Amino acid sequence: MTVPTRTALVTGASAGIGAAFAELLAAEGLDLLLVARREDRLKELAGTLSEKHNGRYEILSADLRDGKAPREIFKHAENLGVDIDVLINNAGLSGKGAFSETPWDEIAGELQVMVTAVTELTHLAAPGMRDRGWGRIVNLSSLAAFQPPGASLLYTGIKTYILNMSQALDMELKSYGVNVTALCPGFTRSEFHDVMGTRSQADGLPGVMWQDADDVVREGWEAVMKGKPVCVPGSLNKVLSASMRPIPNRVQYILGKTANPFKHA
């Protein structure tokens, strides 16, 4: 489905799901504002897209751990003279140590990137989309939002917030032509586990549990265009998400304590 002359803001665009969204949206004919910390990777991506497509591909190096970053990103878009019609809140990370042993700055940074920045970017984008009568917002949640919490990890709680927030905002904005979707992938082939230092644990998981980023993004984009507030990509992930919610809280606690492959040693 083609959406003419619109601009998408993609965070965490330098690799993985973010880069896959950039490729798909460029192929759909959208102009892009690509945001990530690694400027060299953004330049490389924008160059590749320019060789393959005819859109406008702007880049901005920004660290969403900085509380000023969301407003600076939208100020940059304003200076470029573009309205944000599509927002892909993809940037993310996950803590990997024991909560009580992790410096507060690291925990605050995780919350800033995964909760506050996602919410503020949505808050900055939504009024313009509503006034123009059209907008699409994809917030990266996770299959983890349906699963038991993992020992030491804030990740499941954060992703549950993103899932709930997205549904709540979709209820508010859909009548104005703005669709909001929580995209809830399971294990996705990307640099995520390399960056988080959990590659060895990830490589021990069965291959059937993994999806390619392109497949995740394709399902997510189709879902937000159809107005689906929640998208769990992949048949196995759909079964897993459906099977987790009826589990009693006590059993979820035990599963989270014992069955998390990335738990702190």
Side-chain angles (χ1 to χ4, degrees), residues 132-181:
R132 293 188 295 276
W134 195 94
R136 300 291 182 266
I137 300 173
V138 177
N139 294 322
L140 260 294
S141 180
S142 169
L143 185 63
F146 301 92
Q147 295 175 334
S152 294
L153 297 178
L154 302 181
Y155 192 78
T156 50
I158 289 171
K159 291 304 186 182
T160 300
Y161 165 76
I162 298 299
L163 172 64
N164 291 348
M165 179 198 79
S166 300
Q167 293 177 92
L169 299 187
D170 188 72
M171 295 174 198
E172 174 183 324
L173 296 170
K174 190 180 291 295
S175 63
Y176 297 97
V178 181
N179 298 342
V180 184
T181 295

Side-chain angles (χ1 to χ4, degrees), residues 46-224:
T48 301
L49 294 175
S50 295
E51 292 174 359
K52 298 168 62 177
H53 309 289
N54 296 317
R56 178 185 181 185
Y57 310 120
E58 302 285 349
I59 66 169
L60 177 64
S61 174
D63 188 346
L64 290 176
R65 290 175 298 186
D66 183 345
K68 299 187 296 297
R71 293 186 299 279
E72 290 176 350
I73 291 169
F74 269 75
K75 182 63 177 177
H76 185 73
E78 181 181 337
N79 292 338
L80 292 171
V82 299
D83 294 319
I84 301 303
D85 303 299
V86 174
L87 172 62
I88 309 295
N89 268 316
N90 168 71
L93 52 85
S94 176
K96 54 188 177 183
F99 176 83
S100 59
E101 298 172 0
T102 302
W104 173 246
D105 286 350
E106 290 185 26
I107 294 172
E110 182 179 1
L111 294 173
Q112 177 65 34
V113 173
M114 305 280 280
V115 176
T116 305
V118 173
T119 308
E120 186 171 7
L121 287 167
T122 304
H123 188 257
L124 288 164
M129 294 178 178
R130 181 193 58 203
D131 292 346
R132 293 188 295 276
W134 195 94
R136 300 291 182 266
I137 300 173
V138 177
N139 294 322
L140 260 294
S141 180
S142 169
L143 185 63
F146 301 92
Q147 295 175 334
S152 294
L153 297 178
L154 302 181
Y155 192 78
T156 50
I158 289 171
K159 291 304 186 182
T160 300
Y161 165 76
I162 298 299
L163 172 64
N164 291 348
M165 179 198 79
S166 300
Q167 293 177 92
L169 299 187
D170 188 72
M171 295 174 198
E172 174 183 324
L173 296 170
K174 190 180 291 295
S175 63
Y176 297 97
V178 181
N179 298 342
V180 184
T181 295
L183 177 56
C184 307
F187 294 109
T188 305
R189 296 182 183 89
S190 71
E191 297 177 352
F192 181 82
H193 292 290
D194 298 310
V195 174
M196 293 298 103
T198 55
R199 172 52 60 195
S200 60
Q201 297 98 316
D203 286 345
L205 297 172
V208 69
M209 298 183 71
W210 292 88
Q211 279 190 290
D212 290 332
D214 291 342
D215 295 331
V216 170
V217 164
R218 191 178 306 109
E219 282 200 51
W221 182 243
E222 289 175 357
V224 75

